[in-house]
Amino acid sequence: MLIFSVFKTLTDQRVTVELKNDLSITGVLKSVDQFLNIRLDNIKVLDEARHPHMMAVKNCFIRGSVVRYVQLPAENVDTQLLEDATRREAVSQAKR
Amino acid sequence: MDTSSAIQEPFDLIRLSLSERVFVKLRGDRELTGVLHAYDGHMNLILSDVEETILIVEQAEDAAENTVNMAKRKMDMLFVRGDGVILVSPPAR
Amino acid sequence: MASLQGFVDQRVLLILQDGRAIVGVMAGFDQKSNVVLSDSKERVYSVEEGVEEIPLGLYLVKGDQIVLIGELDEAADQAVDLSAIRAEPLPPIRY
């Protein structure tokens, strides 16, 4: 739930998703779900010349399981809040 | 012993590294160092000030002639999906 | 909620874990991202020749094999000359 909540606070921000097939796609994060599936709008494939496969695609749905990294805008991430929330989540996990 | 802060399970050890720099080994011959800000039970991570190192082995016909190259990359703020994480540790002292 | 609802009845591009690219009209989907595609075609990319389109018809694609689903801008897609494209096939997913 923690990471899901973090992504929800980043909707409408531009992010770069790197997939496990080495494709990197930058786009505006429109929505995310509990599986960390991602909807991106206005996408740009990073190495367009090598990957013309998505030339006609503007918006896409990316399955959470194929994501390797998501580069986030640092200025929109409150690291102190994240750390506090992580500690709270860790405690509630331990109690289970 | 103060039981409330005793390390009982592996995730307690990671909890101690929050806001510290950690070393992360990933599948696919990748390594990261970065400051740990968040993690969850899947080992999903959020790191800042990240440096990624990818090990590239160039195969030569003669195995003794293989060359190992490293590609490095820096990123400000990164979410790492847990299914690629092999280990998380404090950086070598 | 990242939903596929907006893609129903649209032409979409599916990229699969083995690197294949399939285009078709999304007829339906479910919570596991299983997808039904009608009038689907596989686009085979190569470095030597242009894109080959293989008609497949009505397909059910398992969600666990899907990498991404892209909404095709029909106008942009029509404008692309597939025979002029030279590219390597997409790499497969490696964990």
Side-chain angles (χ1 to χ4, degrees):
Chain A
M1 279 308 284
L2 211 202
I3 307 284
F4 173 39
S5 310
V6 173
F7 278 128
K8 279 202 289 189
T9 67
L10 292 170
T11 49
D12 293 326
Q13 302 292 332
R14 206 146 243 282
V15 296
T16 299
V17 182
E18 181 174 321
L19 306 180
K20 293 182 168 105
N21 59 6
D22 293 340
L23 211 60
S24 271
I25 303 175
T26 148
V28 176
L29 183 68
K30 285 321 277 185
S31 67
V32 69
D33 67 16
Q34 50 173 324
F35 305 115
L36 305 184
N37 296 327
I38 289 171
R39 274 278 249 131
L40 288 183
D41 270 14
N42 242 310
I43 62 167
K44 223 169 147 26
V45 173
L46 246 59
D47 193 349
E48 283 182 306
R50 220 154 142 225
H51 302 122
H53 315 70
M54 297 184 38
M55 267 200 298
V57 176
K58 296 276 174 330
N59 311 322
C60 69
F61 165 94
I62 297 174
R63 210 157 179 281
S65 59
V66 303
V67 170
R68 180 185 289 138
Y69 304 136
V70 181
Q71 292 177 50
L72 309 170
E75 60 275 14
N76 294 95
V77 176
D78 184 337
T79 57
Q80 194 53 62
L81 204 63
L82 266 186
E83 290 169 20
D84 294 341
T86 301
R87 286 191 189 95
R88 282 198 300 272
E89 173 116 340
V91 169
S92 66
Q93 291 279 347
K95 288 209 166 89
R96 289 233 240 111
Chain B
M1 166 129 352
D2 179 0
T3 45
S4 63
S5 64
I7 299 179
Q8 292 176 314
E9 45 161 60
F11 279 110
D12 294 336
L13 195 59
I14 301 188
R15 181 158 45 86
L16 293 184
S17 293
L18 273 176
S19 77
E20 306 285 334
R21 190 155 271 277
V22 292
F23 166 79
V24 183
K25 197 177 209 296
L26 299 172
R27 295 178 77 167
D29 299 314
R30 283 161 203 263
E31 299 172 354
L32 302 173
T33 63
V35 178
L36 182 67
H37 296 294
Y39 65 87
D40 67 8
H42 298 290
M43 292 272 250
N44 291 324
L45 309 169
I46 296 189
L47 304 167
S48 70
D49 195 20
V50 180
E51 185 175 301
E52 178 200 39
T53 304
I54 309 177
L55 250 55
I56 306 170
V57 182
E58 259 135 65
Q59 310 275 21
E61 301 221 323
D62 176 5
E65 303 266 316
N66 285 351
T67 40
V68 178
N69 280 319
M70 295 198 300
K72 285 188 194 261
R73 198 168 35 142
K74 287 199 187 263
M75 290 167 281
D76 283 340
M77 187 70 66
L78 194 67
F79 159 79
V80 182
R81 193 172 164 93
D83 58 12
V85 175
I86 297 176
L87 67 84
V88 179
S89 122
R93 275 184 225 284
Chain C
M1 249 295 149
S3 173
L4 288 169
Q5 188 54 48
F7 290 3
V8 173
D9 294 330
Q10 307 276 12
R11 282 214 112 230
V12 293
L13 165 75
L14 246 61
I15 297 181
L16 304 183
Q17 295 212 6
D18 61 6
R20 274 187 283 186
I22 317 262
V23 296
V25 176
M26 184 182 308
F29 66 94
D30 68 8
Q31 278 303 92
K32 298 200 204 134
S33 338
N34 296 322
V35 164
V36 177
L37 277 191
S38 68
D39 189 27
S40 59
K41 304 184 172 95
E42 178 179 347
R43 286 188 177 165
V44 182
Y45 291 79
S46 96
V47 185
E48 327 268 300
E49 319 167 321
V51 178
E52 186 192 352
E53 276 201 323
I54 305 172
L56 299 170
L58 187 63
Y59 254 44
L60 167 77
V61 183
K62 287 273 277 57
D64 58 12
Q65 291 301 306
I66 293 175
V67 168
L68 80 72
I69 303 175
E71 194 177 358
L72 273 177
D73 179 335
E74 307 245 18
D77 197 43
Q78 298 292 349
V80 171
D81 178 9
L82 289 175
S83 61
I85 297 188
R86 302 285 180 277
E88 284 186 352
L90 287 162
I93 291 278
R94 266 159 303 128
Y95 277 89

